[in-house]
Amino acid sequence: MTMSERKTIDLEQGWEFMQKGITKLKNILEGLPEPQFSSEDYMMLYTTIYNMCTQKPPHDYSQQLYDKYRESFEEYITSTVLPSLKEKHDEFMLRELVKRWANHKVMVRWLSRFFHYLDRYFIARRSLPPLNEVGLTCFRDLVYQELNGKVRDAVISLIDQEREGEQIDRALLKNVLDIFVEIGMGQMDQYENDFEEAMLKDTAAYYSRKASSWILEDSCPDYMLKAEECLRREKDRVSHYLHSSSETKLLEKVQHELLSVYATQLLEKDNSGCHALLRDDKVEDLSRMFRLFFKIPKGLDPVSSIFKQHVTAEGTALVKQAEDAASNKKAEKKDVVGLQEQVFVRKVIELHDKYLAYVNDCFQNHTLFHKALKEAFEVFCNKGVAGSSSAELLATFCDNILKKGGSEKLSDEAIEETLEKVVKLLAYISDKDLFAEFYRKKLARRLLFDKSANDDHERSILTKLKQQCGGQFTSKMEGMVTDLTLARENQTSFEEYLSNNSHANPGIDLTVTVLTTGFWPSYKSFDLNLPPELVKCVEVFREFYQTKTKHRKLTWIYSLGTCNISGKFEPKTMELIVTTYQASALLLFNLSDRLSYSDIMTELNLTDDDVVRLLHSLSCAKYKILNKEPNTKTISPTDYFEFNSKFTDKMRRIKIPLPPVDEKKKVIEDVDKDRRYAIDASIVRIMKSRKVLGHQQLVMECVEQLGRMFKPDFKAIKKRIEDLITRDYLERDKENPNLFRYLA
Amino acid sequence: MAVHRLVVSWHMKAATMCEFSKKEFIGGLQGLRMNSLEKFCEKIPFMRMELKDDCIFNIVIHFREIYNFVFGWAKEKGQKSLALDTAIRMWQLLFAEKQWPLVEHWSQFLQARHNKAISRDTWSQLLEFARTVDPALTNYDAEGAWPYLIDEFVEYLNENGIQNVQLNDLSQKR
């Protein structure tokens, strides 16, 4: 068949044929008995359209057919689809709609195949909406526009039924909601505007009602259980039939109504709120609280603030407890007070362990809670107990662990672990310099009096401190430990020297520990008049030391020395372990039997305090090596002393302790002095780079620079600024007295 | 000691209290355009005026200049600060003219709590304090850069409830 031979089909004739095909299709859709389309049928229909579109004008019916294509849908919808939908309601209406929509899509598919030639040529050339779109638009404009309000209400009412625990046909809802999405033809506008908005509004209203009654009836944990369950169900709902884009919006609504609105009321419920949960260690409920409030904006702020209050209160209670214990025990025995403080530090460590675990587990390591924990510990860790600052307590605690025969008997691992925790606590203490100074004093005693239990532990805590506070913090302490190793080597070579130079041997075993001045705490030197026997020792060692180095100056610190002397008492000869001070005093009695207080004081060249202390240890304490006249319990400047030749003890070797002077005051004074230098240096550093700076800023920067070591007092900074003005490092601006200038 | 002497000394740019070098003496008198004792005596009451009256602009400047001059003039040579008793005498003299109502409390406070020499900075800032902070301390800023001693003084006043008394005194005067 060629083109020229083809008979022209006119519109009416052609359309009549098409109409038959369309009616057959409708019948199939309506479920009437009708045989399926054969390929023959389909071919004929397509060809008819093809022919009608390819005839020469005026017999090209493309436009007319395009219009008729749309009209076919419109006719079917108005005559059949809409009436059938309108007579049904609620769930039945929804079912009908789903069915009609499915049919409609089938109809579009078939019709657009029949008319396919239009798509290929006419539509493409005129840039008209393609057949498929025209088909869907018909449904949107005629059915969807008419019914979407009703549909939406029906869906929402089903959702609410499900929320109340009824079983609903989820598949149906899914299909209905798919219509909202599909009808947008790639846009979400219909779903969002015609359905989602109302659904969210209804959700908010639903949970607002629920929350208002739950908050009154339920305890905080029950409420949270319900809230969590609701959120889980809503999430489930999204995955089953809502569009996935609704999830965030929906959950936000629910969270807002259930949690944000009632946050304060919920968290502060009297016997079950956040306070109570912390008090009763309700770990699971707290974890749930975190999970819930984590999701709402600023939701964790009140939780972390309650957490901080709780930890602060617990810690403050520990401080008070220790304070009470200390004041009760004070009357009885002094060393028991020390034990109480030891217990206090232990308890603080336990408290920290406990709540750090809360932060890590319940609160999922969240920074807000780390911050709260830190701030809480900073509050009570800086309070101090019974006149001792916490810096001192921590240093004493470490000393007790590290020294031989300390009150704590622990395995190596336990010691390591405890040290680790003490160092962690140190982070909360603002006076780190004070800790360092106390620590150094105690370390010096441990090292010099051979009281340190384990060298490895000493080094290990220094490593930990270094990691946390920086190298500057530990450099002196490390120097001290190293000094001691060097001193041991030095002693070996001294002994060698003596065996090679037997003429130099003083006849007394002498051990000298040579230390580096800068590393160690400052001690009084050369204060004592040594007895001639010991003077000789000093000279021998000095000679030896000269052979090793020419440029170093030896300073002798007698207050730290120990002597082993033999006392020839009438019952038996005994070995006395005493300090150099005590030995010097005792040796005086080799020459005279009886000495007055003032004799001893002039001979030894010591202060009243020292003389009283050492005479007390020899005549009034446990071992009475000297007899005192009059025989009273205290030393007075008018007393006389005599060697007690009748003295004896069941042991052959006894140690006569000389109680150390209370160094607390000196340590605090030293730290104060160091702080003045540190503030000066900091101010000069800042001003050197800034040249001109306001008072407030200068103070703030100074606090920031020094905060790592201590919290400088504003007044102290002010004093230092004024001092620097006097020393011409700074001047006040002539116009503005709040402004300082650096004078180079 | 009469307050004139401060003013005369200032005119002569004298380096030390109670001493004039020949150069200072002649230079000062030339500056004042005086060539006889009579003229000098005539001028003296006006010198007092220079301190007293602070409603004219250039005289305000005079007072501050004289005030700051006094510190260097009255201190011991070679010292950086001014001995407390001298400082208190000078303040009483200077502020007697200026009528700073807290000067007596200030002197008492220094003797009770401080008892050390006064630095130049504290000296010059005290004038600022007397000028700008009202005696009831309503506009005193604790965060400001006032010297430490002045902060302490304010604390002292508050502790002793003195500022209230002052306030009452002032209102009675008005």
Side-chain angles (χ1 to χ4, degrees):
Chain A
M1 192 162 61
T2 62
M3 288 285 263
S4 55
E5 283 167 289
R6 214 175 71 191
K7 201 169 135 247
T8 308
I9 308 169
D10 68 22
L11 183 61
E12 260 175 58
Q13 184 196 353
W15 185 248
E16 201 179 315
F17 180 75
M18 290 309 293
Q19 194 76 54
K20 278 185 195 149
I22 294 171
T23 311
K24 180 176 162 79
L25 176 58
K26 284 181 192 165
N27 287 341
I28 295 173
L29 292 178
E30 290 299 316
L32 300 173
E34 184 85 48
Q36 288 293 313
F37 279 99
S38 65
S39 46
E40 192 101 346
D41 298 336
Y42 167 64
M43 228 151 69
M44 280 312 293
L45 288 162
Y46 178 83
T47 313
T48 311
I49 295 293
Y50 175 84
N51 288 338
M52 289 170 83
C53 293
T54 49
Q55 298 171 136
K56 290 226 170 60
H59 301 291
D60 176 352
Y61 296 119
S62 297
Q63 179 66 53
Q64 288 88 334
L65 287 174
Y66 185 65
D67 293 340
K68 283 208 175 287
Y69 169 81
R70 184 205 318 274
E71 282 158 17
S72 312
F73 285 113
E74 287 171 354
E75 189 273 329
Y76 177 61
I77 287 170
T78 32
S79 68
T80 316
V81 177
L82 271 179
S84 82
L85 280 166
K86 280 185 177 163
E87 69 186 18
K88 296 199 168 63
H89 298 285
D90 303 328
E91 204 177 328
F92 302 100
M93 186 261 294
L94 294 178
R95 285 189 199 291
E96 186 67 19
L97 180 70
V98 170
K99 191 182 110 199
R100 287 294 171 187
W101 171 243
N103 282 349
H104 185 78
K105 283 190 288 185
V106 173
M107 185 168 168
V108 171
R109 198 159 65 239
W110 280 97
L111 272 197
S112 63
R113 280 192 197 164
F114 301 163
F115 286 73
H116 186 58
Y117 187 72
L118 282 174
D119 253 344
R120 289 180 57 188
Y121 187 71
F122 174 75
I123 288 172
R125 225 178 57 160
R126 303 258 187 110
S127 313
L128 293 168
L131 294 179
N132 191 42
E133 194 182 316
V134 172
L136 294 177
T137 315
C138 284
F139 193 86
R140 185 183 73 197
D141 293 347
L142 298 174
V143 181
Y144 176 83
Q145 293 300 7
E146 175 86 16
L147 290 173
N148 75 62
K150 245 178 105 182
V151 174
R152 177 194 67 210
D153 293 345
V155 171
I156 288 174
S157 121
L158 280 174
I159 293 177
D160 280 346
Q161 284 174 31
E162 192 188 39
R163 282 185 179 135
E164 286 299 329
E166 288 175 36
Q167 283 286 337
I168 59 159
D169 185 349
R170 288 180 155 188
L172 172 67
L173 286 193
K174 167 90 180 134
N175 289 332
V176 173
L177 291 172
D178 280 347
I179 299 176
F180 280 93
V181 177
E182 285 170 31
I183 214 83
M185 287 183 270
Q187 303 292 314
M188 289 300 285
D189 298 15
Q190 275 72 18
Y191 176 80
E192 284 171 6
N193 299 332
D194 298 339
F195 168 71
E196 193 184 44
E197 202 184 303
M199 183 270 293
L200 291 175
K201 225 169 138 187
D202 172 76
T203 305
Y206 177 85
Y207 284 109
S208 171
R209 276 198 310 279
K210 287 287 165 194
S212 65
S213 69
W214 290 347
I215 195 71
L216 298 176
E217 296 158 7
D218 294 323
S219 70
C220 170
D222 290 346
Y223 186 97
M224 290 194 299
L225 272 171
K226 283 184 180 169
E228 196 170 48
E229 181 60 17
C230 289
L231 285 166
R232 193 189 62 69
R233 289 220 182 110
E234 292 301 328
K235 211 170 162 179
D236 196 48
R237 195 154 288 137
V238 175
S239 69
H240 278 96
Y241 53 84
L242 297 176
H243 190 264
S244 60
S245 66
S246 294
E247 179 169 321
T248 333
K249 298 179 222 171
L250 180 67
L251 294 181
E252 263 171 23
K253 279 278 178 225
V254 181
Q255 280 155 5
H256 178 79
E257 294 304 331
L258 289 182
L259 300 170
S260 305
V261 172
Y262 291 105
T264 322
Q265 222 177 320
L266 181 64
L267 294 175
E268 290 177 3
K269 268 189 174 272
D270 270 348
N271 291 313
S272 66
C274 189
H275 276 295
L277 297 180
L278 285 165
R279 186 191 61 210
D280 302 336
D281 298 322
K282 300 280 188 203
V283 182
E284 235 171 81
D285 292 321
L286 288 168
S287 307
R288 180 167 301 115
M289 185 174 276
F290 177 85
R291 286 198 299 273
L292 290 172
F293 283 89
F294 178 66
K295 289 180 195 133
I296 65 176
K298 298 222 173 271
L300 290 176
D301 289 3
V303 182
S304 75
S305 132
I306 292 173
F307 177 65
K308 181 177 151 190
Q309 284 168 24
H310 177 78
V311 178
T312 311
E314 295 253 299
T316 312
L318 286 185
V319 174
K320 176 141 197 322
Q321 202 183 330
E323 197 82 59
D324 291 348
S327 57
N328 288 342
K329 295 271 172 166
K330 202 155 239 168
E332 297 168 30
K333 251 186 171 180
K334 256 218 154 156
D335 50 332
V336 186
V337 178
L339 195 67
Q340 282 296 338
E341 285 153 2
Q342 202 73 2
V343 171
F344 168 70
V345 176
R346 271 268 168 232
K347 281 188 180 161
V348 173
I349 291 178
E350 279 163 20
L351 191 75
H352 191 253
D353 283 350
K354 177 175 167 188
Y355 287 110
L356 187 63
Y358 274 49
V359 172
N360 288 332
D361 304 339
C362 300
F363 305 135
Q364 296 176 19
N365 237 330
H366 196 278
T367 46
L368 211 53
F369 290 87
H370 275 294
K371 188 163 161 271
L373 185 71
K374 177 170 175 274
E375 286 171 355
F377 269 76
E378 277 169 356
V379 171
F380 66 84
C381 276
N382 285 308
K383 281 194 170 152
V385 172
S388 304
S389 66
S390 43
E392 186 188 350
L393 292 182
L394 279 191
T396 315
F397 185 80
C398 294
D399 187 50
N400 265 322
I401 289 178
L402 292 167
K403 77 180 177 195
K404 278 181 195 165
S407 53
E408 309 253 344
K409 300 263 182 296
L410 298 168
S411 69
D412 281 0
E413 291 78 27
I415 289 179
E416 277 295 301
E417 202 187 325
T418 313
L419 292 178
E420 180 94 44
K421 285 172 181 168
V422 176
V423 174
K424 241 187 229 166
L425 280 189
L426 182 63
Y428 303 123
I429 297 214
S430 47
D431 298 332
K432 293 188 185 58
D433 55 345
L434 196 59
F435 170 84
E437 197 63 23
F438 275 115
Y439 189 89
R440 236 149 47 84
K441 278 269 178 199
K442 310 253 181 211
L443 175 63
R445 290 196 75 81
R446 288 202 297 278
L447 294 176
L448 296 178
F449 298 107
D450 192 27
K451 280 185 176 157
S452 175
N454 185 329
D455 211 38
D456 291 343
H457 290 151
E458 292 288 0
R459 287 186 188 274
S460 141
I461 187 172
L462 291 186
T463 314
K464 292 180 174 68
L465 286 171
K466 195 174 184 174
Q467 268 170 6
Q468 185 163 303
C469 307
Q472 214 193 339
F473 189 80
T474 50
S475 66
K476 287 182 177 176
M477 302 170 191
E478 284 166 333
M480 287 162 73
V481 176
T482 314
D483 256 4
L484 220 69
T485 322
L486 293 178
R488 271 184 221 122
E489 287 166 19
N490 196 46
Q491 177 63 21
T492 322
S493 69
F494 176 55
E495 277 159 17
E496 236 166 68
Y497 167 85
L498 286 183
S499 64
N500 295 338
N501 302 279
S502 48
H503 64 277
N505 200 318
I508 296 173
D509 289 339
L510 173 67
T511 306
V512 180
T513 317
V514 183
L515 309 172
T516 315
T517 311
F519 295 154
W520 297 74
S522 54
Y523 300 103
K524 279 186 278 179
S525 54
F526 289 128
D527 51 344
L528 173 77
N529 256 351
L530 275 193
E533 297 90 328
L534 299 184
V535 171
K536 195 175 172 222
C537 292
V538 168
E539 269 159 18
V540 170
F541 188 81
R542 192 176 282 143
E543 232 162 74
F544 154 75
Y545 202 66
Q546 289 278 322
T547 64
K548 294 193 61 160
T549 168
K550 291 264 181 289
H551 307 291
R552 294 201 180 152
K553 195 173 145 249
L554 281 178
T555 305
W556 293 81
I557 300 164
Y558 304 129
S559 58
L560 297 173
T562 325
C563 295
N564 294 22
I565 55 176
S566 2
K568 293 186 174 129
F569 301 104
E570 275 169 21
K572 64 180 178 194
T573 301
M574 292 173 69
E575 190 179 350
L576 308 177
I577 304 170
V578 292
T579 66
T580 306
Y581 278 18
Q582 290 168 318
S584 305
L586 289 176
L587 287 174
L588 295 176
F589 289 88
N590 278 345
L591 301 175
S592 5
D593 291 334
R594 189 163 180 273
L595 289 166
S596 72
Y597 174 93
S598 52
D599 290 340
I600 296 172
M601 188 162 143
T602 7
E603 284 292 329
L604 296 181
N605 186 34
L606 287 176
T607 60
D608 278 303
D609 285 350
D610 284 330
V611 175
V612 167
R613 205 159 53 89
L614 81 95
L615 286 176
H616 188 273
S617 75
L618 295 171
S619 63
C620 306
K622 189 175 171 194
Y623 304 114
K624 293 183 176 49
I625 314 295
L626 299 179
N627 284 329
K628 188 172 87 77
E629 285 171 37
N631 187 9
T632 51
K633 286 276 169 203
T634 50
I635 305 292
S636 106
T638 54
D639 291 346
Y640 279 84
F641 300 88
E642 222 176 49
F643 180 64
N644 177 11
S645 53
K646 303 267 184 307
F647 175 81
T648 191
D649 191 82
K650 59 178 187 294
M651 311 288 278
R652 284 199 62 81
R653 196 161 175 253
I654 54 172
K655 186 172 167 151
I656 305 171
L658 179 63
V661 221
D662 189 15
E663 289 165 329
K664 199 189 273 185
K665 228 171 110 190
K666 185 169 178 300
V667 169
I668 293 172
E669 273 167 19
D670 284 353
V671 168
D672 234 39
K673 205 167 74 196
D674 287 347
R675 282 186 182 183
R676 286 204 291 276
Y677 294 135
I679 297 174
D680 278 355
S682 160
I683 294 174
V684 170
R685 261 198 309 276
I686 295 165
M687 292 305 291
K688 204 167 183 173
S689 64
R690 302 297 208 94
K691 303 295 180 221
V692 180
L693 201 62
H695 173 259
Q696 297 261 12
Q697 269 169 296
L698 176 57
V699 169
M700 263 163 53
E701 286 197 25
C702 188
V703 169
E704 202 184 298
Q705 271 201 5
L706 298 170
R708 229 162 28 87
M709 283 302 271
F710 63 97
K711 215 178 234 153
D713 172 43
F714 289 137
K715 273 188 185 172
I717 297 179
K718 223 169 194 183
K719 274 187 179 167
R720 299 322 301 156
I721 294 177
E722 282 170 50
D723 192 61
L724 288 169
I725 293 177
T726 317
R727 289 191 282 153
D728 294 330
Y729 282 93
L730 307 179
E731 66 172 1
R732 258 183 224 274
D733 188 86
K734 301 227 163 30
E735 303 302 317
N736 179 359
N738 278 324
L739 212 60
F740 297 111
R741 295 174 177 283
Y742 179 67
L743 297 173
Chain B
M1 181 167 63
V3 73
H4 318 101
R5 270 190 16 220
L6 295 181
V7 186
V8 173
S9 300
W10 173 66
H11 277 297
M12 294 186 176
K13 303 186 176 60
T16 322
M17 189 159 49
C18 306
E19 276 178 36
F20 299 115
S21 70
K22 190 172 175 185
K23 200 176 148 204
E24 287 167 355
F25 188 75
I26 293 173
L29 291 186
Q30 276 173 347
L32 289 165
R33 302 185 187 289
M34 286 185 290
N35 48 18
S36 69
L37 190 60
E38 290 78 43
K39 277 198 180 173
F40 188 75
C41 293
E42 272 170 37
K43 186 83 178 176
I44 280 180
F46 292 100
M47 289 183 170
R48 202 186 167 92
M49 292 289 284
E50 280 185 282
L51 279 167
K52 199 164 200 171
D53 199 349
D54 63 350
C55 52
I56 303 164
F57 178 73
N58 63 343
I59 290 177
V60 176
I61 303 297
H62 266 175
F63 183 78
R64 179 182 291 174
E65 273 183 37
I66 293 169
Y67 178 92
N68 284 331
F69 159 81
V70 165
F71 182 86
W73 175 73
K75 76 179 168 57
E76 295 272 322
K77 267 184 188 153
Q79 295 286 318
K80 283 209 159 176
S81 40
L82 182 58
L84 184 64
D85 52 346
T86 321
I88 290 177
R89 257 189 297 132
M90 290 299 154
W91 270 319
Q92 283 171 339
L93 211 56
L94 287 161
F95 284 121
E97 303 295 325
K98 292 296 294 175
Q99 297 197 333
W100 182 44
L102 294 174
V103 68
E104 275 312 311
H105 292 298
W106 173 244
S107 310
Q108 280 164 19
F109 156 75
L110 289 176
Q111 279 156 345
R113 300 276 181 94
H114 183 57
N115 220 2
K116 270 182 226 147
I118 298 297
S119 73
R120 182 185 287 277
D121 185 53
T122 308
W123 176 269
S124 62
Q125 289 303 302
L126 187 75
L127 179 62
E128 294 306 311
F129 183 79
R131 258 181 205 292
T132 54
V133 177
D134 74 73
L137 307 175
T138 49
N139 57 348
Y140 163 76
D141 176 13
E143 305 278 293
W146 293 116
Y148 170 73
L149 205 54
I150 292 180
D151 287 339
E152 294 274 284
F153 175 54
V154 171
E155 262 176 44
Y156 167 86
L157 292 179
N158 288 336
E159 272 171 34
N160 296 299
I162 289 172
Q163 83 278 30
N164 299 328
V165 178
Q166 280 297 334
L167 200 61
N168 292 340
D169 286 358
L170 283 181
S171 52
Q172 276 163 13
K173 270 181 201 163
R174 279 174 202 144

